[in-house]
Every structure is written in structure tokens, then in C-alpha cells.
Amino acid sequence: MFNALNAEDAPQPPKVLTTPLEIASTLRMLQESHDPLIITFHERSQRFQSYLVDVDRDGHKLILDEMIPRDGERHLESGEPFRIEGFHDGVRVAWESKGTLTVSEKDGHRVYTGSMPDEVVYHQRRNAFRAALKLAQLINIELDGEKLQLPVRGKLLDISATGCKLRFEGDISERLQLGQVYERFMAALPFGSMTTSVELRYLHFEERINITFAGVRFHNMSGLVQRQVERFVYQLQREARRFDKDDDF
């Protein structure tokens, strides 16, 4: 039953955007959706997270938010080239930056200002259906691995064939590292627990509600676990379609 779904979600070849209008509108999409950006410096394995604060097409400028962790700033100041990558609804947006960024303050926050890229890769990847769980049905999860002294426990908010979004009580952002692979991610699915390794792609502590949100991508999944995830996603998708149909009456 999954083959039909996979056929519908076939990947599209990447496009290279070169006009200022295309580039600005694509970057503005990332900015307005507050999509996290992953920054990687050439020949360095560590990943850093940031956000687009402003896109100025007329001035050919863009502004990035302070990097997390902040020690990546010294690589910026030394002029090291880097790559920026973001994801928006299944679309991968990436570009290279060879110029230096200026470090400054904006409204009391640290920001980095630089030129807009000349080229942006826009890649509509496999459009994996992302199924959200109802608050009453949130699933218990546990994240563990060699880099964690103690496992962290939370709730599964949504899931797709490629990853999921998690919720943790309190501020655990200091315990987790963006880009790190955690060897043991366990989720108590309705028809049996699944265990796989995951890569942390998004991390944000919302102080107002005292909750940490995280996004992980499944890493080196076995065939068995992949079938478990697909079965669960398909079940949630079927339920969502049934409720949508009920709403029509």
C-alpha cells in the first residue's frame, strides 16, 4: 500500500535559482516561516544553527541571527567560507557564502550582515507526509546515546517517513547538540516500540511555555523500523483523511 504513496511523492531534480527576484522570494519564505538554518564551515564537522532576520533585495543584503552555538562566530570573523541550508515543507534551500559577514547588534540582538547569494539551490525533495498527533494521543519517546549522560524523555508531536518533531518539558537545550547523531531514539508506537538512531536538526527552547522543541531526522534506519514508521504514518494519514471527510458534512 506504500508503493502508491511513494510514486506520488517522487523527488524532483534540484533547480538553481540565479535571478535576484527568485532568490529574494525564496529566502523570504525561509525568513517568514522562521525555518531554522544549518551553517557548516568547509573542512569542519560541527554544525551551527541560525535564522534569517531580514532579506533586502534592493540592497542585495541579508541578515542572519546569532549562531548557536556562538563559538562559530570566530570562523565567520576569520572569513572562512561556509554553506547555509534550510528546509521548508519538503523543499531544501541551500547556498554557499564566500564573503565575510559583518557582526553587529540589531534591537539588542547579535546579527550578521552580508551579501545575498548569487545562486541558490532549490530542491523539492520527496514530499513525505507529516502526520500530527492529537494532544490526547501524544506518544512517549526517549533519546539516548554516548553523548548523553542520562536519557531525555519527551513526547512525539508529529512524524513523517524521514523524521519527527519532539517536545520536552523544561530547558534541555544545553544537553543536546545540533547536528549530533544519537544512537538510541525510542518511541512507544501503538503496535510496538521502535528504536533507531537520529540526527538532531532543530532545537529551540520556548521560555514562555517552558518547553523545548526538537526536530530529528531518522539515521540509518533498518528495514523493520522503516516499515513500522510507514505503517504508523499511513495510519495517521488515513485517520486525518477520515476526519477531513467527516468535516464536509
Side-chain angles (χ1 to χ4, degrees), residues 157-216:
L157 291 181
D158 69 28
I159 186 169
S160 75
T162 56
C164 53
K165 188 173 181 180
L166 313 173
R167 185 188 81 184
F168 301 93
E169 295 295 328
D171 184 3
I172 64 162
S173 56
E174 295 296 323
R175 298 174 60 186
L176 301 177
Q177 172 63 53
L178 200 69
Q180 178 67 49
V181 172
Y182 295 96
E183 298 84 4
R184 291 182 296 281
F185 168 79
M186 290 159 279
L189 302 184
F191 41 79
S193 292
M194 59 159 278
T195 303
T196 188
S197 57
V198 294
E199 179 189 359
L200 185 64
R201 302 283 298 186
Y202 172 76
L203 187 63
H204 174 67
F205 172 60
E206 189 62 57
E207 187 175 4
R208 182 174 51 86
I209 54 177
N210 195 35
I211 285 176
T212 301
F213 294 99
V216 299

Side-chain angles (χ1 to χ4, degrees), residues 211-222:
I211 285 176
T212 301
F213 294 99
V216 299
R217 183 180 293 262
F218 297 131
H219 184 77
N220 291 340
M221 262 198 308
S222 69

